[in-house]
Amino acid sequence: MEYVSPEGLRIDGRRPMEMRKLHAEMGVVAKADGSAVFVMGNTKVIAAVYGPREVQNRSQQMSDQALVRCEYSMANFSTGDRMRKGKGDRRSTEISLVVRQTMEACILTHLMPRSQIDIYVQVLQADGGTRCACINAATLALADAAIPMRDLVTSCSAGYLNSTPLLDLNYVEDSAGGPDVTVGILPKMDKVTLLQMDSKLPIDTFDNVMQLAIEGCKAVATYIREVLLENTKQLEYHRGV
Amino acid sequence: MGRMRGLEIPLTQTQKIRLQRALQKLESLSSKANSNASVTVADSIPVNYDDGFLKGHGTSELNGEVIATVCGVVERVNKLVYVRTLRARYKPEVGDIVVGRVIEVAPKRWRIDINFSQDAVLMLSSMNLPDGIQRRRTAVDELNMRSIFEENDVVCAEVRGFHHDGLQLQARSQKYGKLERGQLLSIPPYLVKRRKQHFHYIEEYGIDLILGCNGFIWVGEHAEPKDDMVIDEQANKSDQILKPSKYSMTLEEQERAYTPLETRQNVCRTANAIRVLSTLGFSVTIEIIMDTVTMSMSLKEIHEMLGSEFCVLVAEREAERRSSAKKKG
């Protein structure tokens, strides 16, 4: 199948190095300490953060740092064909783990000893790149809950189809079976915290694809930063002196 | 401007414009006073490196640069640089007056949820006994703990400090203790300012208002500060009220348990005023609450206070108040 037309356009009309439209909203769950919706094109993810709060299971309590938990789920209506999958299938367990580890790496857990932070992410619409959208939404929700972090974490994916590196794959491109590189970075510190890849790539091409994904992450970071700053300003203006 | 957080009331076109105008006014008023002080995670904070500085909460160092670890507003006190967070959980300070909910009765202590990252502890020994006598707490006292506070009771106390890795509270005065016949509201703690006075008795409406520093607010019927000696008797009576057996109560007791309709309406009115103010994200002080309550008197029904029109009116009023305060000051 042809994923990049001779004119250099992808199936959804984007250029190879073009991202989908980003949109983010904060404070969407009233009862949560922090929450956000993150939209990348047709992928839409909601994240809610509770905590730092008392540890529910006393035996898991740590006296020098906070416990971070994460639960990923996919709404039944999020995909084209309505699938009924219970909680805890392999895919969602894996993504829960990935999101947890990525977020734990940037949260300053030692500042909140003997407490627990719960991150719930749910995919409302799935169109490829749900993993990246989840991480981005979780970052926003954590920042909304004012949980201290080393840096923001942003994530973006890139692939390689028809001998062209493609940024931010959608579902059709994702299911083409080609290589799919998901990268998560700490933009300010310039460090990689997450790197996953399906299938294989020659090392020199891999470099290009990963560089492209990192550029994507940086673009996401710029956007997230704008949203956060605007949100903080609004809160401060409303509160008054 | 995007959708306002927390606000889920359908607005008509004119209301939307009015609200937007009021909020823009607020923005223009405060942006002059405190411009560019807002930071987000990992933003670098400009400091004077020659002069020396102290890194406070919400900051860390990266490559010799001070960066923020949370979103908020940069505050500077002499050499100290810190980030004041908005929307964070409550951070206790010694002497704060807090309202909380009992979640567990444990040996010699109650565990209380006060919206902090851990549960707070109120020791039996750090509160006045019902009989008002100062003495060692006995095993009998310990067994009778449930007659003082039970699970899910709302209590008011003062932050004593950190001991043994836990947050301790104390309630050594008659003004602290169990709160009854009213409503507990929970709002973001950054909207409550620390002040000299957190207990308010509004005589006009016959209600008590406690603005807990932790963002838990109590609005209830006014309770007379009880005499030490008769407390024991009253505590027994309130037990009976909890497990209502109407026939066992004397007429007098029934009367005492009864809250007049007018007072109940006033409680609801005040509670709704606080709800409106907190959804709009305005700081909640006694003056502003009472002003909002007075505004609501023009409405026919109390529940209309949660409607869109009143919300817009409150926003406009706030803008007006702040601009007039600005002119004066």
Side-chain angles (χ1 to χ4, degrees), chain A residues 13 21 34 61 73 86-87 120 122 134 141 149 195 206 215 233 237:
Chain A
K21 198 176 177 318
Q61 181 170 304
S73 63
K87 229 173 64 175
Y120 295 95
Q122 183 165 41
C134 283
M149 291 190 282
L195 180 58
F206 171 76
E215 288 306 316
K233 279 188 176 160
Y237 293 154

PDB file of all heavy atoms in Angstrom, chain A residues 13 21 34 61 73 86-87 120 122 134 141 149 195 206 215 233 237:
ATOM      1  N   GLY A  13      -3.387  13.430   4.468  1.00  0.00           N
ATOM      2  CA  GLY A  13      -3.101  14.730   3.848  1.00  0.00           C
ATOM      3  C   GLY A  13      -1.971  15.503   4.504  1.00  0.00           C
ATOM      4  O   GLY A  13      -1.717  16.651   4.150  1.00  0.00           O
ATOM      5  N   LYS A  21      -2.948  17.992  14.692  1.00  0.00           N
ATOM      6  CA  LYS A  21      -3.295  19.188  15.456  1.00  0.00           C
ATOM      7  C   LYS A  21      -3.357  18.833  16.944  1.00  0.00           C
ATOM      8  O   LYS A  21      -3.955  17.839  17.330  1.00  0.00           O
ATOM      9  CB  LYS A  21      -4.652  19.703  14.994  1.00  0.00           C
ATOM     10  CG  LYS A  21      -4.923  21.140  15.392  1.00  0.00           C
ATOM     11  CD  LYS A  21      -6.258  21.554  14.793  1.00  0.00           C
ATOM     12  CE  LYS A  21      -6.684  22.954  15.165  1.00  0.00           C
ATOM     13  NZ  LYS A  21      -6.477  23.350  16.522  1.00  0.00           N
ATOM     14  N   GLY A  34      -5.829  16.890  39.944  1.00  0.00           N
ATOM     15  CA  GLY A  34      -5.376  17.466  38.683  1.00  0.00           C
ATOM     16  C   GLY A  34      -5.936  16.646  37.540  1.00  0.00           C
ATOM     17  O   GLY A  34      -6.067  15.428  37.664  1.00  0.00           O
ATOM     18  N   GLN A  61       3.419   1.385  51.747  1.00  0.00           N
ATOM     19  CA  GLN A  61       3.889   2.716  52.130  1.00  0.00           C
ATOM     20  C   GLN A  61       5.412   2.753  52.202  1.00  0.00           C
ATOM     21  O   GLN A  61       6.044   1.841  52.721  1.00  0.00           O
ATOM     22  CB  GLN A  61       3.279   3.069  53.471  1.00  0.00           C
ATOM     23  CG  GLN A  61       3.676   4.436  53.954  1.00  0.00           C
ATOM     24  CD  GLN A  61       2.856   4.845  55.157  1.00  0.00           C
ATOM     25  OE1 GLN A  61       1.638   4.863  55.124  1.00  0.00           O
ATOM     26  NE2 GLN A  61       3.534   5.173  56.226  1.00  0.00           N
ATOM     27  N   SER A  73      -6.649   2.667  30.649  1.00  0.00           N
ATOM     28  CA  SER A  73      -7.766   1.891  30.126  1.00  0.00           C
ATOM     29  C   SER A  73      -8.223   2.517  28.824  1.00  0.00           C
ATOM     30  O   SER A  73      -7.907   3.656  28.508  1.00  0.00           O
ATOM     31  CB  SER A  73      -8.905   1.853  31.129  1.00  0.00           C
ATOM     32  OG  SER A  73      -9.389   3.137  31.335  1.00  0.00           O
ATOM     33  N   GLY A  86     -11.784  -6.779  29.162  1.00  0.00           N
ATOM     34  CA  GLY A  86     -11.812  -6.506  30.584  1.00  0.00           C
ATOM     35  C   GLY A  86     -10.596  -5.703  30.980  1.00  0.00           C
ATOM     36  O   GLY A  86      -9.721  -5.421  30.158  1.00  0.00           O
ATOM     37  N   LYS A  87     -10.571  -5.313  32.266  1.00  0.00           N
ATOM     38  CA  LYS A  87      -9.391  -4.631  32.758  1.00  0.00           C
ATOM     39  C   LYS A  87      -8.250  -5.631  32.816  1.00  0.00           C
ATOM     40  O   LYS A  87      -8.480  -6.815  33.035  1.00  0.00           O
ATOM     41  CB  LYS A  87      -9.687  -4.078  34.162  1.00  0.00           C
ATOM     42  CG  LYS A  87      -9.302  -2.640  34.323  1.00  0.00           C
ATOM     43  CD  LYS A  87      -9.765  -2.114  35.656  1.00  0.00           C
ATOM     44  CE  LYS A  87      -9.113  -2.793  36.824  1.00  0.00           C
ATOM     45  NZ  LYS A  87      -9.472  -2.217  38.112  1.00  0.00           N
ATOM     46  N   TYR A 120      -4.743   8.134  36.523  1.00  0.00           N
ATOM     47  CA  TYR A 120      -5.667   7.352  35.712  1.00  0.00           C
ATOM     48  C   TYR A 120      -5.704   7.950  34.321  1.00  0.00           C
ATOM     49  O   TYR A 120      -5.985   9.142  34.176  1.00  0.00           O
ATOM     50  CB  TYR A 120      -7.069   7.370  36.315  1.00  0.00           C
ATOM     51  CG  TYR A 120      -7.136   6.695  37.661  1.00  0.00           C
ATOM     52  CD1 TYR A 120      -7.034   7.428  38.831  1.00  0.00           C
ATOM     53  CD2 TYR A 120      -7.276   5.317  37.758  1.00  0.00           C
ATOM     54  CE1 TYR A 120      -7.071   6.809  40.069  1.00  0.00           C
ATOM     55  CE2 TYR A 120      -7.313   4.694  38.982  1.00  0.00           C
ATOM     56  CZ  TYR A 120      -7.218   5.443  40.138  1.00  0.00           C
ATOM     57  OH  TYR A 120      -7.236   4.831  41.356  1.00  0.00           O
ATOM     58  N   GLN A 122      -7.352   7.405  30.437  1.00  0.00           N
ATOM     59  CA  GLN A 122      -8.300   6.650  29.639  1.00  0.00           C
ATOM     60  C   GLN A 122      -8.342   7.202  28.226  1.00  0.00           C
ATOM     61  O   GLN A 122      -8.381   8.415  28.020  1.00  0.00           O
ATOM     62  CB  GLN A 122      -9.698   6.721  30.248  1.00  0.00           C
ATOM     63  CG  GLN A 122     -10.686   5.869  29.471  1.00  0.00           C
ATOM     64  CD  GLN A 122     -11.969   5.615  30.212  1.00  0.00           C
ATOM     65  OE1 GLN A 122     -12.500   6.513  30.847  1.00  0.00           O
ATOM     66  NE2 GLN A 122     -12.463   4.400  30.125  1.00  0.00           N
ATOM     67  N   CYS A 134      -1.169   9.557  26.074  1.00  0.00           N
ATOM     68  CA  CYS A 134      -1.355   9.260  27.496  1.00  0.00           C
ATOM     69  C   CYS A 134      -0.277   9.937  28.327  1.00  0.00           C
ATOM     70  O   CYS A 134      -0.573  10.540  29.367  1.00  0.00           O
ATOM     71  CB  CYS A 134      -1.278   7.764  27.753  1.00  0.00           C
ATOM     72  SG  CYS A 134      -2.764   6.923  27.269  1.00  0.00           S
ATOM     73  N   ALA A 141      -1.775  16.664  33.692  1.00  0.00           N
ATOM     74  CA  ALA A 141      -2.578  16.440  34.894  1.00  0.00           C
ATOM     75  C   ALA A 141      -1.715  16.557  36.151  1.00  0.00           C
ATOM     76  O   ALA A 141      -2.142  17.127  37.153  1.00  0.00           O
ATOM     77  CB  ALA A 141      -3.254  15.077  34.836  1.00  0.00           C
ATOM     78  N   MET A 149       7.911  18.273  39.844  1.00  0.00           N
ATOM     79  CA  MET A 149       8.550  17.425  38.834  1.00  0.00           C
ATOM     80  C   MET A 149       9.892  18.017  38.436  1.00  0.00           C
ATOM     81  O   MET A 149      10.064  19.230  38.416  1.00  0.00           O
ATOM     82  CB  MET A 149       7.657  17.334  37.598  1.00  0.00           C
ATOM     83  CG  MET A 149       6.389  16.556  37.812  1.00  0.00           C
ATOM     84  SD  MET A 149       5.531  16.234  36.271  1.00  0.00           S
ATOM     85  CE  MET A 149       4.768  17.792  35.954  1.00  0.00           C
ATOM     86  N   LEU A 195      11.908   4.905  25.270  1.00  0.00           N
ATOM     87  CA  LEU A 195      12.206   4.577  23.872  1.00  0.00           C
ATOM     88  C   LEU A 195      11.708   3.178  23.612  1.00  0.00           C
ATOM     89  O   LEU A 195      12.149   2.209  24.220  1.00  0.00           O
ATOM     90  CB  LEU A 195      13.714   4.669  23.622  1.00  0.00           C
ATOM     91  CG  LEU A 195      14.187   4.356  22.200  1.00  0.00           C
ATOM     92  CD1 LEU A 195      13.540   5.274  21.190  1.00  0.00           C
ATOM     93  CD2 LEU A 195      15.694   4.459  22.102  1.00  0.00           C
ATOM     94  N   PHE A 206      17.410   4.517  11.743  1.00  0.00           N
ATOM     95  CA  PHE A 206      16.866   4.657  13.091  1.00  0.00           C
ATOM     96  C   PHE A 206      17.216   6.027  13.675  1.00  0.00           C
ATOM     97  O   PHE A 206      16.371   6.688  14.272  1.00  0.00           O
ATOM     98  CB  PHE A 206      17.405   3.547  13.983  1.00  0.00           C
ATOM     99  CG  PHE A 206      17.065   3.750  15.432  1.00  0.00           C
ATOM    100  CD1 PHE A 206      15.782   3.494  15.887  1.00  0.00           C
ATOM    101  CD2 PHE A 206      18.013   4.207  16.323  1.00  0.00           C
ATOM    102  CE1 PHE A 206      15.455   3.692  17.204  1.00  0.00           C
ATOM    103  CE2 PHE A 206      17.686   4.418  17.650  1.00  0.00           C
ATOM    104  CZ  PHE A 206      16.409   4.162  18.092  1.00  0.00           C
ATOM    105  N   GLU A 215      12.138  15.757  17.700  1.00  0.00           N
ATOM    106  CA  GLU A 215      11.632  17.070  17.262  1.00  0.00           C
ATOM    107  C   GLU A 215      10.145  17.187  17.589  1.00  0.00           C
ATOM    108  O   GLU A 215       9.670  18.235  18.044  1.00  0.00           O
ATOM    109  CB  GLU A 215      11.858  17.263  15.759  1.00  0.00           C
ATOM    110  CG  GLU A 215      13.310  17.483  15.362  1.00  0.00           C
ATOM    111  CD  GLU A 215      13.966  18.621  16.128  1.00  0.00           C
ATOM    112  OE1 GLU A 215      13.327  19.671  16.277  1.00  0.00           O
ATOM    113  OE2 GLU A 215      15.112  18.422  16.602  1.00  0.00           O
ATOM    114  N   LYS A 233      -1.849  31.544  34.770  1.00  0.00           N
ATOM    115  CA  LYS A 233      -2.181  32.961  34.764  1.00  0.00           C
ATOM    116  C   LYS A 233      -3.653  33.182  35.049  1.00  0.00           C
ATOM    117  O   LYS A 233      -4.018  34.044  35.842  1.00  0.00           O
ATOM    118  CB  LYS A 233      -1.815  33.575  33.410  1.00  0.00           C
ATOM    119  CG  LYS A 233      -0.332  33.902  33.318  1.00  0.00           C
ATOM    120  CD  LYS A 233      -0.031  34.673  32.057  1.00  0.00           C
ATOM    121  CE  LYS A 233       1.428  35.068  32.019  1.00  0.00           C
ATOM    122  NZ  LYS A 233       1.871  35.378  30.657  1.00  0.00           N
ATOM    123  N   TYR A 237      -5.178  35.353  38.062  1.00  0.00           N
ATOM    124  CA  TYR A 237      -5.994  36.539  37.800  1.00  0.00           C
ATOM    125  C   TYR A 237      -7.319  36.446  38.530  1.00  0.00           C
ATOM    126  O   TYR A 237      -7.790  37.410  39.110  1.00  0.00           O
ATOM    127  CB  TYR A 237      -6.284  36.684  36.303  1.00  0.00           C
ATOM    128  CG  TYR A 237      -5.090  36.992  35.459  1.00  0.00           C
ATOM    129  CD1 TYR A 237      -5.057  36.633  34.127  1.00  0.00           C
ATOM    130  CD2 TYR A 237      -3.993  37.658  35.992  1.00  0.00           C
ATOM    131  CE1 TYR A 237      -3.966  36.911  33.341  1.00  0.00           C
ATOM    132  CE2 TYR A 237      -2.892  37.935  35.212  1.00  0.00           C
ATOM    133  CZ  TYR A 237      -2.878  37.559  33.880  1.00  0.00           C
ATOM    134  OH  TYR A 237      -1.813  37.825  33.109  1.00  0.00           O
TER     135      TYR A 237
END
